[in-house]
């Protein structure tokens, strides 16, 4: 789990070391992480960072070479042109059928050849599917995210756990980075610390890849308001705003120094990426893709059931495949669970 991912997901609140918490009163007020003081930061590195720092250079997303344009013209474009071409052929054929009795003695059923009727039927299907597709897109644009309400103490533990990710050093040269470091304390890292540098360079993607030196505390508050509460910053109550302020301080510690208060002259605070707030841009895909995908996935599931004794089950709305490890079927094999996200489905994981 990393903050560089597509969204700040909520992890289980169990940690091996609980962060130090404080409470301003004994009347049950909500605890929070230990507040930061100015002594936690020994420099203002992030206010005047070196221009040659990696996180302050423009992100190079790579140049579009010939292979990109070839794929665009010969693979991508034909797929997305199916829908408009289907609409054009459908309207053309309807007009042709409507005018055929007036232009000759042929009946509408005799106007088209068999292959033309088949093509017309397919284009009608694609046209109707595009209407359904756009209705789904309209629903997605108007969908209001419903983040479950969680206890503030639990949110603090979750956020602390996420920031601990990547703090532990590799155990050996060439070893894979540890995805989580629950035993590591969140302390004020030095600006040149590789862990802080890596964090800054990846996290700025949430701010459209802007140089880290241009990201302000206000922009960070706005991102945290979305990531933690899925609300605009002005809509938070006082307790939530306090939590956002504490989280901002923790982010500064993890990044290696303080963020700037004001944006560069002549610019405004950078508006961060908010996946549940940003517009949903949809281009219609042909329905035949979904038909083929469904057939392939059903075939893959039948194959897995036959080959590995796997069955499809569901838990709290999440479907999954699991190998039935009952003694009658698999006495020596271990249970196997296959979970997947976006893509064509289970077919892309079939061995």
């Amino acid at each position: 789990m990393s903050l560089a991912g597509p969204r700040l997901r909520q992890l289980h609140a169990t940690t091996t070391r609980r962060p130090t918490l404080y409470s301003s009163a004994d009347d049950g007020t909500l605890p929070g992480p230990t507040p930061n003081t100015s002594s936690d930061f020994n420099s203002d590195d992030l206010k005047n960072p070196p221009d040659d720092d990696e996180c302050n250079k423009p992100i190079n997303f790579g140049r579009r070479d010939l292979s990109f344009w070839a794929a665009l013209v010969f693979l991508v474009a034909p797929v997305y042109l199916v829908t408009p071409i289907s609409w054009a052929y459908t309207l053309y054929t309807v007009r042709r059928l409507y005018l055929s009795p007036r232009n000759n003695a042929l009946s509408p059923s005799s106007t088209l050849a068999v292959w033309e009727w088949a093509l017309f039927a397919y284009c009608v299907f694609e046209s109707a599917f595009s209407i359904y597709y756009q209705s789904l897109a309209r629903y997605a644009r108007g969908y209001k995210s419903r983040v479950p309400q969680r206890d503030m103490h639990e949110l603090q533990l979750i956020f602390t756990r996420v920031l601990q990710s990547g703090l532990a050093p590799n155990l050996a040269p060439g070893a894979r980075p540890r995805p989580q470091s629950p035993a590591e304390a969140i302390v004020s890292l030095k600006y040149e610390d590789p862990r802080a540098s890596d964090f800054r360079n990846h996290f700025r993607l949430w701010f459209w890849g802007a140089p880290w030196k241009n990201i302000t505390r206000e922009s960070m508050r706005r991102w945290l308001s979305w990531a933690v509460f899925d609300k605009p910053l002005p809509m938070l109550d006082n307790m939530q705003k306090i939590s956002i302020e504490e989280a901002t301080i923790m982010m500064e510690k993890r990044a290696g120094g303080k963020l700037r208060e004001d944006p560069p002259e002549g610019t405004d605070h950078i508006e961060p990426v908010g996946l549940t707030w940003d517009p949903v841009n949809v281009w219609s895909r042909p329905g035949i893709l979904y038909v083929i995908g469904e057939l392939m996935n059903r075939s893959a599931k039948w194959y897995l059931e036959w080959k590995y004794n796997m069955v499809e089950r569901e838990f709290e709305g999440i479907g999954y495949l699991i190998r039935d490890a009952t003694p009658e079927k698999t006495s020596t094999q271990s249970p196997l669970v296959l979970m997947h996200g976006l893509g064509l489905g289970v077919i892309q994981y079939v061995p």
Side-chain angles (χ1 to χ4, degrees), residues 51-324:
D51 291 333
D52 59 350
D53 185 35
E54 186 67 26
C55 66
N56 291 319
K57 297 178 181 179
I59 294 180
N60 182 15
F61 292 102
R63 298 184 61 183
R64 295 176 176 176
D65 55 13
L66 182 61
S67 62
F68 169 84
W69 296 109
L72 178 65
V73 172
F74 296 106
L75 295 178
V76 178
V79 171
Y80 284 96
L81 286 175
V82 168
T83 299
I85 291 176
S86 296
W87 270 103
Y89 186 80
T90 299
L91 296 176
Y92 163 76
T93 305
V94 169
R95 182 178 182 275
R96 182 180 172 187
L97 293 174
Y98 175 75
L99 295 177
S100 61
R102 300 184 181 185
N103 297 333
N104 52 62
L106 294 177
S107 63
S109 59
S110 303
T111 303
L112 303 178
V114 174
W115 70 268
E116 290 179 308
W117 278 112
L119 181 59
F120 177 59
Y122 171 72
C123 289
V124 169
F125 160 74
E126 288 291 356
S127 301
F129 180 80
S130 69
I131 297 175
Y132 171 70
Y133 196 94
Q134 289 302 320
S135 68
L136 294 179
R138 183 177 180 181
Y139 172 78
R141 293 187 184 101
Y143 179 78
K144 301 299 182 182
S145 178
R146 301 177 180 87
V147 175
Q149 297 297 320
R150 293 183 180 271
D151 178 74
M152 295 289 288
H153 177 75
E154 182 184 3
L155 287 175
Q156 290 164 350
L157 292 174
I158 292 172
F159 191 73
T160 301
R161 180 69 176 270
V162 172
L163 287 183
Q164 289 171 328
S165 175
L167 282 178
N170 293 339
L171 300 180
R176 297 177 61 184
R178 296 173 60 183
Q180 296 180 1
S181 311
E184 298 295 321
I186 298 178
V187 298
S188 300
L189 300 177
K190 296 293 185 180
Y191 183 80
E192 61 275 8
D193 191 310
R195 297 171 296 176
S197 178
D198 182 71
F199 179 83
R200 294 191 303 269
N201 201 40
H202 284 86
F203 192 78
R204 66 183 175 130
L205 294 174
W206 287 105
F207 299 89
W208 309 100
W212 184 267
K213 63 181 180 180
N214 295 342
I215 300 174
T216 62
R217 300 187 95 237
E218 176 64 20
S219 295
M220 185 63 70
R221 294 188 192 101
R222 294 177 186 179
W223 184 86
L224 288 167
S225 178
W226 164 77
V228 178
F229 299 108
D230 199 25
K231 295 180 181 178
L233 189 59
M235 294 181 60
L236 302 184
D237 58 36
N238 290 335
M239 185 60 68
Q240 290 173 333
K241 289 181 178 179
I242 292 174
S243 297
I244 291 299
E245 199 64 31
E246 294 170 346
T248 302
I249 294 171
M250 295 173 68
M251 294 287 284
E252 289 178 323
K253 289 183 176 183
R254 184 67 174 83
K258 293 181 179 179
L259 293 167
R260 63 189 305 156
E261 291 290 347
D262 301 315
E265 185 177 356
T267 63
D268 200 357
H269 297 284
I270 301 173
E271 195 65 32
V273 176
L275 299 184
T276 56
W277 297 353
D278 296 339
V280 179
N281 299 317
V282 176
W283 285 49
S284 293
R285 298 175 182 173
I288 191 65
L289 286 182
Y290 295 91
V291 173
I292 295 175
E294 180 66 19
L295 292 175
M296 292 174 64
N297 279 293
R298 287 186 179 273
S299 300
K301 291 177 182 178
W302 292 335
Y303 170 77
L304 292 174
E305 291 175 1
W306 168 74
K307 182 71 175 181
Y308 298 101
N309 295 322
M310 299 188 77
V311 293
E312 185 176 10
R313 295 179 183 172
E314 184 175 307
F315 177 77
E316 296 185 356
I318 301 177
Y320 63 95
L321 294 170
I322 184 171
R323 174 187 291 165
D324 189 351

